[in-house]
């Protein structure tokens, strides 16, 4: 019975790695779409977002089967409970990426010169998601803490983005709508960073039994 349970936990790990990779990819694709001003990439973003949604449901079903059929002990129960929380944040990362792709349709190619810090926010967010999922698989608290610490970097880039956009509004008063769309795109990247933090904090809970929000 325990062997079967361990095999299912291993399957759960593989699915979490897959979902994490999808989150990294969707952030990268929507960032390229924004920097290149290529709205055609929004189709790929939409496909990835759907794939993330489907995988969330698959993982949720697997977790529920483990809970109902295997009667996990305390440590296993924490792990499964943490996964159910983590996949919610992963799914929201997909949602945020699709929200950004909607702005790309209106921003066009002129955003390329104005989104230096947004690009850096996206790079940092990808690292955070990657570290969080790796921390979950390896049960590595230090890796989870590293992901959490990167949120300060994203916040700093967001502040710089806002200052840049305020300066541009003063220079280009006729581009107000475009600049507000750019600011909202940056805000969604900042939210993606927050979701990555949540994922890392649930990894800490899975390993230690303590959650920051407790």
């Amino acid at each position: 019975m325990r062997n079967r349970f361990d095999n299912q936990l291993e399957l759960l790990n593989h699915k979490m790695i897959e979902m994490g990779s999808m989150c990294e990819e969707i952030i990268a694709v929507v960032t390229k779409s924004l920097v290149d001003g290529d709205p055609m990439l929004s189709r790929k973003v939409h496909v990835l977002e759907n794939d993330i949604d489907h995988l969330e449901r698959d993982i949720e079903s697997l977790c529920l089967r483990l809970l109902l059929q295997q009667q996990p002990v305390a440590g296993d129960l924490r792990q499964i409970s943490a996964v159910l929380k983590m996949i919610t944040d992963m799914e929201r990362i997909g949602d945020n990426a699709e929200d950004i792709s909607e702005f790309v349709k209106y921003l066009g190619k002129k955003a390329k010169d104005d989104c230096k810090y947004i690009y850096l926010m996206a790079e940092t967010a990808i690292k955070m998601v990657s570290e969080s999922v790796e921390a979950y698989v390896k049960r590595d608290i230090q890796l989870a803490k590293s992901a959490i610490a990167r949120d300060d970097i994203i916040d700093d880039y967001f502040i710089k983005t806002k200052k840049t956009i305020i300066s541009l509004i003063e220079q280009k008063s006729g581009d107000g709508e475009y600049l507000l769309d750019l600011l909202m795109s940056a805000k969604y990247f900042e939210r993606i960073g927050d979701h990555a933090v949540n994922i890392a904090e649930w990894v800490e809970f899975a390993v230690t039994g303590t959650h920051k929000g407790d």
Side-chain angles (χ1 to χ4, degrees), residues 68-134:
L68 294 172
Q69 298 173 9
Q70 303 297 337
Q71 297 180 331
V73 296
D76 298 325
L77 183 60
R78 282 202 313 270
Q79 180 181 344
I80 296 166
S81 299
V83 165
L84 288 169
K85 296 290 188 178
M86 291 166 68
I87 60 175
T88 298
D89 280 291
M90 288 181 175
E91 189 273 335
R92 287 175 182 166
I93 286 173
D95 288 345
N96 289 158
E98 188 157 41
D99 289 333
I100 295 166
S101 75
E102 289 298 312
F103 287 114
V104 176
K105 297 175 184 177
Y106 306 103
L107 290 169
K109 293 185 180 296
K110 62 182 178 179
K112 182 174 183 178
D113 296 329
D114 298 328
C115 58
K116 170 187 173 183
Y117 294 117
I118 295 177
Y119 178 80
L120 294 172
M121 288 173 74
E123 276 193 330
T124 306
I126 289 171
K127 289 177 183 176
M128 290 171 72
V129 172
S130 176
E131 285 184 340
S132 296
V133 175
E134 187 179 353

Side-chain angles (χ1 to χ4, degrees), residues 172-185:
K172 308 176 182 179
S173 58
D175 279 347
E177 186 173 352
Y178 149 71
L179 292 168
L180 285 175
D181 285 346
L182 194 62
L183 179 60
M184 284 303 300
S185 297

Side-chain angles (χ1 to χ4, degrees), residues 9-26:
L9 283 180
E10 187 64 26
L11 175 61
L12 184 60
N13 284 350
H14 286 306
K15 286 184 177 291
M16 289 297 289
I17 292 170
E18 183 182 1
M19 193 170 182
S21 295
M22 286 181 182
C23 287
E24 292 172 42
E25 184 178 2
I26 200 170

